[in-house]
Amino acid sequence: MSEPKPATGGAARRRLGSAVRLAVILAAVGWLYKQTRWSDLQSVLTNADWHLALVGLLAFAPVNVLIAQRLRWLLAVHDIYLPAWQAVKITFVGNFLIQALPVGTSGGDAVKAWFVARRTTRKHEAITSVFVDRVVGVVGLVLLSAVMVLLNWRNAALADSARYVGWMLVLLAVGGVVYFSRRLRRALRLEQIIARLPLAGHLQRIDQAVFAFRRGYRSVAGCLLLTMLLQVSAIVSTFLCGWALGLVGDRPVAAFP
């Protein structure tokens, strides 16, 4: 009787995954190297206020953790439970690709969706949750913009911005009501339209995955609050780091000795 051959498929996949990750890192490093003006960078770093820069970096520390938690809450609506550390790692991978490579936000989200889908059999729901996470991020940013406009409504410089923010809020509200209203969906025959489209089976799963967030509205509301909090943290961090590098006027020496 011959001995069973050792399984090599898993090892081969791990080697392939490691090779892909290494290739992405090398590509990112090479692209950044070509795009960086080293003489300008040396001048900026020499004159930087490193104490203020450290405060700015610390202000950014919660951002990726909050993004990871937001993704976990959205996945939990579909009974997909991603460990916190895995969520943080996936978030860093996606954000690294968005910031370091010219793949855009959609490219980074696609990689995040791939990593999440690998860890569950509910792949349609997992992928949909990743892209809903992006939508929630945009809506949270619009809501934060609306809050700032209301707090500074007498500022003439914000008049045009207030108009755009207002229209975006109206469009988002109307779109949300139409999509998540059972009566309007029946009146518009939305499900019948989806059933006649190409790849109808996949589109129906995606539609059901999105509609499921209606019952998970509390999780979505919490995600919106997380988004506004992390946006404030990111804005404060960017402002402080820019100030430390001399990009936004005089440094606040008195405030940060």
Side-chain angles (χ1 to χ4, degrees):
M1 183 176 178
S2 60
E3 295 182 0
K5 295 181 179 180
T8 58
R13 285 194 296 270
R14 286 193 294 272
R15 287 195 295 268
L16 178 60
S18 299
V20 171
R21 288 192 289 270
L22 180 60
V24 170
I25 292 172
L26 292 176
V29 171
W31 187 79
L32 288 173
Y33 180 82
K34 290 183 178 180
Q35 295 294 319
T36 302
R37 296 181 179 179
W38 294 101
S39 59
D40 294 344
L41 179 61
Q42 181 180 3
S43 176
V44 170
L45 295 179
T46 301
N47 297 304
D49 183 341
W50 288 104
H51 292 93
L52 185 58
L54 179 59
V55 175
L57 291 174
L58 291 175
F60 192 82
V63 171
N64 284 308
V65 176
L66 294 177
I67 294 175
Q69 183 59 45
R70 186 178 69 190
L71 178 59
R72 295 182 69 216
W73 283 355
L74 293 176
L75 288 169
V77 173
H78 299 290
D79 296 324
I80 301 173
Y81 300 101
L82 189 66
W85 179 234
Q86 291 293 331
V88 171
K89 289 196 295 184
I90 290 172
T91 299
F92 270 100
V93 168
N95 289 348
F96 173 76
L97 292 175
I98 292 170
Q99 301 296 332
L101 290 179
V103 297
T105 301
S106 57
D109 286 344
V111 172
K112 288 172 65 175
W114 180 74
F115 274 113
V116 174
R118 289 179 59 197
R119 289 164 170 78
T120 178
T121 57
R122 311 188 69 183
K123 300 187 183 302
H124 289 80
E125 291 77 9
I127 294 172
T128 301
S129 296
V130 172
F131 288 98
V132 169
D133 176 67
R134 177 60 58 186
V135 173
V136 169
V138 173
V139 174
L141 181 59
V142 174
L143 290 175
L144 179 61
S145 301
V147 171
M148 298 310 299
V149 167
L150 289 175
L151 292 176
N152 297 275
W153 65 276
R154 293 184 178 180
N155 190 337
L158 295 178
D160 292 335
S161 300
R163 188 177 299 109
Y164 290 123
V165 171
W167 277 113
M168 289 184 68
L169 285 174
V170 171
L171 291 174
L172 289 171
V174 172
V177 169
V178 171
Y179 186 84
F180 290 103
S181 169
R182 297 184 187 275
R183 291 182 180 180
L184 291 176
R185 285 170 66 92
R186 287 195 296 267
L188 296 173
R189 302 178 63 85
L190 183 59
E191 294 178 358
Q192 289 84 346
I193 292 173
I194 294 174
R196 295 175 182 175
L197 295 175
L199 302 175
H202 294 290
L203 294 176
Q204 287 171 331
R205 287 282 301 275
I206 293 172
D207 174 58
Q208 293 169 5
V210 176
F211 192 74
F213 287 105
R214 169 178 166 150
R215 71 170 185 271
Y217 67 93
R218 292 182 179 177
S219 295
V220 175
C223 290
L224 288 173
L225 291 176
L226 278 185
T227 299
M228 297 175 70
L229 179 61
L230 70 89
Q231 289 289 353
V232 170
S233 182
I235 291 169
V236 170
S237 172
T238 302
F239 179 79
L240 292 177
C241 288
W243 212 333
L245 298 175
L247 302 178
V248 289
D250 296 332
R251 298 172 186 166
V253 177
F256 295 92

